[in-house]
Amino acid sequence: MPEQGRKSEANPSSSQQRALRWAGLKAASDIGMDRFARLVSRVLSVPVAFVSLVEDDRQILPGMIGLPEPWSENRELPLTHSLCRYVVASGRRLVVPDARADERFDTHPAVTDLGVVAYAGMPLTDADGRVLGSLCAIDHQPRAWKAGELSDLEDLAAACSAELCLRILSAQSRSAQQVLETARAAAEHARSDAQRLEQEAQAGLDHAELLLRASEELAQTSGLEDVRRRLRDLFVGVGKPSYVGLLVAEKDELHRVPDPDITHAAEREVLVLPADAAFPSSQALRERRTVFVADREAMVAGYGTKAVDFFDRMGFITVLCLPLWGSRALLGILAICWDKRHEVGVTERATLTAASGYVAQAVERALYLDERVSVARELQSALLTDLPHADHVEISAVYQPAAHDHMIGGDWYDAYHLPRAAGSHDETSALMITVGDITGHDMHAATIMGQIRSMLRQATLDHPPHSPATALTALDAACSVLPMEASGTLVHARLDPVVSSPDWTLTWSNAGHPPPLLRTPDGHVTELVEHDLLLHRSLGPFDRTEHQRPLAPGSTLLLYTDGLVERRGRDMDAAVAQLISLLARHGRRPLDEVLRRINTRLADPAPEDDIVLLAVRTPAASQP
């Protein structure tokens, strides 16, 4: 047996056992100790972690995550299965990359029965330096423990030791209050020590909770604004900064991401910083390292007058600038500022550095998502039709995207003139109009929308006399064959002038879309409710039907998508009734104004879905 193994045979001292009793921890789950175990598991990415305290005849686990039954239920291990007792016996940390390859432990029950392969344990001590147990990280696979991981584990062990000290001293203080009056002075001294340790322990807990919050909060972000919003309340507790700023690197500049909800003077003052500016954040970008400015004297000595004036106006005294490293490059800088002198100790700096890693992951994900959203928005905008010039027919359209940038939709409108028939002398050509909504709110939906729009145009122009139903039937047939997941609704319509008459004819085919509205010159509005099934490749091709209506001079046709009238918490029938009322009341106004009034009254300021409105008005009858 190696020397370390021989030392571990000694039982814990009686003073250690008294300290354990003062701590009040048993072979049962403890909320605070479980939090430390979860934090070790998260920070070091290990499947098993626990707070282990060594008693005379057993090892108890008040904080634990990842052990199987029956250990997870019993919360204790026999000393024969304990590697932590070596930490207690030696008073030093124990780091084992692969216990199976270590002659000290290759046949140890912890390896054979519990599946321990990689092990790292840091001593947990009381106020007098007695080792009570260890904070352990365990992996079931061989692991070369990194220096940063061991440093993080050591920091967490220091915070956990402070918590144990606090519990022990608090218990001793409560006991001291029950002794004779002559022990009052000693109790006061113990209370003072407990107060000091409580501050240290609270700081340690705040740091640990910061990492836990960062890992949970920032994992759910969807864009840079969301990251900036969550940073606002991430840093709380002891040493809370007065301002936390996010600056994103772009070429040779830093661009500040403003808080989307709260206006900060700091963000209005300096939105863009060149990389060569004499500012702490620019230095952190240039030198790719953490920059700490302890106070105003250090700011004056190390930076330019612009930086000094800026920090004076903002009231900042201490500044910490942390690089945000992505998987391939430096993404930006996290600027943490205090309005009073603040000592950033080794543990706090390590905690803030670890938290900046979570911020960097969120920023990298946000930049990727924002770039995809930007491309999709540009694609969607490019696919929207420039409305054709028409001397006779008035036409107008509105497209309003969803408020959430990641909600890229498949709503679109289209309008184009049909070629005149050979030999026709009529100057007024027929007009095709379409409004549709492809299912989905992502890049895929926008891409499918573009394909459907182009295919429907081609189907219409390739099938004279350009019947809407014939074109939709051809589109169904193509979608049932082509490898594309196309589904949604649309209305495809044709407006034809009646020869030698001021009237027009509307012919349309509806694939499951909200019914168009037709307003006659007298203000009466009709829903054109005739429709077929929606567009979906699984339904197969079938013959679409079409319908006709005569349009008197000055009639207005309105097509729209469901984002205008359908949303959570509102009755859709009531919304359609309100739409009909608005069209009836304002339908004589210019179409641009009609659509603006409708969209303002019915749509949310921040709609959850895309909205499309397309209106066409036939020429009014000429005056005699």
Side-chain angles (χ1 to χ4, degrees):
M1 175 73 69
E3 182 180 354
Q4 185 180 22
R6 290 196 300 271
K7 287 183 179 180
S8 68
E9 297 302 330
N11 286 330
S13 67
S14 58
S15 60
Q16 287 174 310
Q17 294 304 297
R18 284 196 301 272
L20 286 176
R21 287 194 295 273
W22 284 116
L25 294 171
K26 303 176 182 179
S29 173
D30 178 270
I31 294 175
M33 298 298 109
D34 277 339
R35 183 183 295 117
F36 279 107
R38 290 198 305 272
L39 191 57
V40 169
S41 177
R42 286 177 183 273
V43 173
L44 274 68
S45 298
V46 292
V48 180
F50 48 76
V51 176
S52 161
L53 301 176
V54 177
E55 296 182 345
D56 284 330
D57 56 351
R58 63 175 181 169
Q59 169 183 301
I60 65 171
L61 308 174
M64 181 272 291
I65 185 172
L67 276 182
E69 295 292 346
W71 321 110
S72 61
E73 177 67 22
N74 296 338
R75 290 280 180 152
E76 65 176 60
L77 290 171
L79 291 180
T80 56
H81 289 63
S82 171
L83 292 180
C84 301
R85 62 190 178 121
Y86 300 129
V87 177
V88 174
S90 68
R92 297 188 301 272
R93 71 183 187 183
L94 176 62
V95 179
V96 182
D98 189 346
R100 300 169 305 179
D102 192 319
E103 64 179 3
R104 297 173 299 173
F105 309 114
D106 55 351
T107 60
H108 196 280
V111 177
T112 58
D113 295 347
L114 302 180
V116 175
V117 176
Y119 174 91
M122 297 294 172
L124 297 176
T125 60
D126 65 6
D128 295 321
R130 286 184 289 265
V131 181
L132 308 180
S134 67
L135 183 63
C136 312
I138 294 172
D139 206 332
H140 299 309
Q141 303 295 329
R143 182 167 182 155
W145 300 98
K146 298 178 182 177
E149 293 174 330
L150 296 176
S151 178
D152 289 343
L153 185 59
E154 187 174 19
D155 290 341
L156 293 172
C160 188
S161 294
E163 170 68 8
L164 290 173
C165 291
L166 176 61
R167 296 188 184 204
I168 292 170
L169 290 174
S170 296
Q172 290 173 342
S173 178
R174 289 191 299 269
S175 176
Q177 292 172 6
Q178 300 172 6
V179 300
L180 298 174
E181 190 68 21
T182 55
R184 185 174 297 170
E188 287 296 327
H189 180 70
R191 189 179 303 109
S192 175
D193 284 347
Q195 200 171 41
R196 173 179 57 81
L197 287 171
E198 183 177 7
Q199 293 176 350
E200 296 176 0
Q202 186 60 54
L205 286 174
D206 286 344
H207 297 159
E209 289 176 359
L210 168 62
L211 294 179
L212 188 59
R213 285 197 309 275
S215 66
E216 293 174 344
E217 286 289 322
L218 296 175
Q220 307 300 323
T221 54
S222 58
L224 281 177
E225 281 194 354
D226 192 19
V227 174
R228 179 64 185 86
R229 180 181 290 110
R230 291 174 188 256
L231 283 178
R232 184 197 313 146
D233 300 320
L234 187 63
F235 297 85
V236 297
V238 176
K240 178 181 179 180
S242 58
Y243 172 77
V244 178
L246 175 63
L247 299 97
V248 175
E250 185 175 328
K251 296 182 180 179
D252 294 326
E253 295 179 331
L254 283 172
H255 292 256
R256 194 179 302 275
V257 180
D259 190 309
D261 305 317
I262 300 175
T263 300
H264 291 279
E267 294 173 347
R268 291 197 305 268
E269 288 277 340
V270 179
L271 287 173
V272 179
L273 273 175
D276 58 358
F279 273 70
S281 50
S282 296
Q283 181 185 5
L285 176 67
R286 290 193 306 272
E287 299 179 5
R288 303 303 200 255
R289 66 176 180 87
T290 298
V291 171
F292 177 66
V293 183
D295 50 31
R296 189 179 187 279
E297 289 72 19
M299 180 68 70
V300 172
Y303 302 94
T305 56
K306 288 185 178 179
V308 175
D309 291 344
F310 170 72
F311 283 96
D312 281 348
R313 289 197 305 276
M314 296 304 105
F316 299 152
I317 303 299
T318 301
V319 180
L320 181 67
C321 295
L322 297 161
L324 299 176
W325 286 101
S327 58
R328 289 174 290 185
L330 181 60
L331 304 174
I333 302 297
L334 183 67
I336 305 176
C337 307
W338 291 266
D339 55 10
K340 298 179 181 178
R341 183 181 174 89
H342 182 72
E343 297 294 337
V344 182
V346 175
T347 300
E348 184 176 9
R349 181 174 294 203
T351 301
L352 295 175
T353 301
S356 72
Y358 290 110
V359 177
Q361 292 175 13
V363 168
E364 187 167 40
R365 182 172 58 254
L367 290 172
Y368 172 71
L369 291 175
D370 287 348
E371 181 180 2
R372 289 195 64 187
V373 167
S374 176
V375 171
R377 287 284 188 217
E378 291 178 9
L379 169 64
Q380 195 167 35
S381 178
L383 290 174
L384 293 176
T385 302
D386 291 332
L387 295 176
H389 176 72
D391 293 331
H392 304 282
V393 174
E394 185 182 355
I395 184 169
S396 182
V398 167
Y399 171 75
Q400 182 176 356
H404 297 292
D405 284 341
H406 66 281
M407 297 287 283
I408 305 301
D411 293 26
W412 91 97
Y413 62 82
D414 200 3
Y416 50 92
H417 287 293
L418 292 173
R420 292 186 179 89
S424 171
H425 299 290
D426 194 340
E427 296 181 357
T428 304
S429 61
L431 181 69
M432 297 299 302
I433 59 173
T434 310
V435 165
D437 182 2
I438 295 301
T439 304
H441 295 93
D442 52 22
M443 178 75 83
H444 178 69
T447 303
I448 294 297
M449 176 267 283
Q451 293 173 323
I452 292 296
R453 170 183 173 274
S454 298
M455 291 166 62
L456 184 57
R457 275 190 167 196
Q458 189 69 41
T460 301
L461 296 173
D462 281 354
H463 292 82
H466 314 301
S467 157
T470 301
L472 276 180
T473 300
L475 179 64
D476 279 328
C479 289
S480 66
V481 174
L482 296 175
M484 56 186 294
E485 295 295 330
S487 66
T489 66
L490 63 91
V491 174
H492 192 43
R494 170 176 171 164
L495 282 81
D496 291 277
V498 178
V499 178
S500 302
S501 170
D503 293 344
W504 287 65
T505 301
L506 169 67
T507 306
W508 80 95
S509 185
N510 187 332
H513 200 76
L517 302 180
L518 178 61
R519 182 188 186 277
T520 54
D522 60 4
H524 179 70
V525 177
T526 303
E527 285 189 85
L528 306 181
V529 297
E530 298 84 354
H531 68 276
D532 296 328
L533 293 174
L534 56 78
L535 177 70
H536 198 288
R537 70 190 306 268
S538 66
L539 300 176
F542 61 92
D543 291 334
R544 294 279 179 177
T545 60
E546 65 184 24
H547 314 276
Q548 281 193 344
R549 282 288 180 96
L551 303 183
S555 296
T556 300
L557 178 68
L558 176 67
L559 280 67
Y560 57 94
T561 56
D562 59 5
L564 181 68
V565 295
E566 183 181 29
R567 64 176 178 266
R568 286 177 293 181
R570 184 172 72 174
D571 181 77
M572 185 172 177
D573 291 337
V576 172
Q578 186 180 2
L579 172 60
I580 291 173
S581 176
L582 288 169
L583 182 60
R585 186 163 63 252
H586 302 294
R588 286 184 177 275
R589 299 177 182 272
L591 286 186
D592 288 348
E593 183 178 346
V594 173
L595 296 188
R596 184 171 59 253
R597 284 175 177 265
I598 288 174
N599 196 44
T600 300
R601 292 292 298 276
L602 283 180
D604 280 339
E608 297 179 356
D609 195 2
D610 292 358
I611 294 173
V612 163
L613 288 164
L614 178 67
V616 178
R617 180 182 291 153
T618 60
S622 58
Q623 297 295 326

